[in-house]
Amino acid sequence: MTSEQRQKIQPTWLGKSLAGALLGLALAYILIAFFAWYGPGGIDAQDKVQFNMWMIPILWLTLFSFTYLFNSARQAWLILGGANVILYSLFLLLRGGL
């Protein structure tokens, strides 16, 4: 495979940074919400609130750092945005909100 055939990761750091900051945080919130409601012990488990609170920045910064591996800022916005829409819709559907 020649270098022309490979897709190069574009250095669009501003778009990728904004996608990771905004959509990555929203994705971290919904992933923790799924764990909080449907994880061991449900929402009323003892000390689960504290654990969830500390897991949000760890998950967010992990998602944020992997945002730079997308080929372009557009791809980062589309994939992270699509994942947010799907997971928030699923959460609302399971909670009876839709």
Side-chain angles (χ1 to χ4, degrees), residues 56-83:
I56 288 173
I58 294 169
L59 189 57
W60 177 32
L61 292 177
T62 302
L63 290 166
F64 186 77
S65 64
F66 280 113
T67 310
Y68 296 104
L69 296 177
F70 287 110
N71 289 331
S72 66
R74 181 177 182 262
Q75 184 184 23
W77 279 94
L78 288 174
I79 291 176
L80 290 176

Side-chain angles (χ1 to χ4, degrees), residues 7 12-13 20 23 27 30 40 45 47 56 58 60 68 70 74 83-84 87 89 96 98:
Q7 279 192 320
T12 52
W13 65 270
L23 296 177
L27 196 58
I30 195 62
D47 298 328
I56 288 173
I58 294 169
W60 177 32
Y68 296 104
F70 287 110
R74 181 177 182 262
N84 273 301
L87 289 175
S89 299
L98 289 180

